[in-house]
Amino acid sequence: MSETLEVNTATPTTQEQEIEEVIKGLEQYRERIVNETLEHAKKVKISKAKVMAKLEQHPELSKIDLALNQLRSATQNQTQQPTA
């Protein structure tokens, strides 16, 4: 019976680690999009303020932000659930 408890307690930890890896990957991808866009804007002499305003409306960044919020909520819910 103790083996069953060990397996059950290990599963959320593994899932939490996987979610954290996905969050980290999405954050890196988001940062790369922003940085590359700012580099290109600098080359064509567009102000940072204009670029940032456009990036706020960027559909890919919106999807990433939504996914990050959902994943963070999921990890918070898992850590708040009592373990038996």
Side-chain angles (χ1 to χ4, degrees), residues 1-11 84:
M1 184 163 177
S2 64
E3 290 179 24
T4 305
L5 289 175
E6 289 176 25
V7 171
N8 288 339
T9 57
T11 303

Side-chain angles (χ1 to χ4, degrees), residues 54-70:
K54 287 288 186 183
L55 284 174
E56 287 179 15
Q57 299 171 3
H58 193 285
E60 191 72 19
L61 292 179
S62 297
K63 289 178 187 178
I64 293 170
D65 291 338
L66 179 63
L68 285 170
N69 288 334
Q70 290 173 343

Side-chain angles (χ1 to χ4, degrees), residues 12-61:
T13 304
T14 302
Q15 187 177 13
E16 288 173 7
Q17 289 174 344
E18 290 173 354
I19 292 172
E20 288 298 322
E21 289 176 20
V22 171
I23 288 172
K24 185 177 177 180
L26 285 172
E27 287 173 339
Q28 290 173 346
Y29 179 52
R30 185 185 195 291
E31 185 177 339
R32 191 179 85 216
I33 291 172
V34 171
N35 290 338
E36 288 177 0
T37 304
L38 288 173
E39 278 184 41
H40 292 292
K42 200 181 288 185
K43 290 178 183 177
V44 294
K45 298 181 182 181
I46 298 175
S47 73
K48 185 175 179 178
K50 285 183 181 180
V51 174
M52 294 307 288
K54 287 288 186 183
L55 284 174
E56 287 179 15
Q57 299 171 3
H58 193 285
E60 191 72 19
L61 292 179

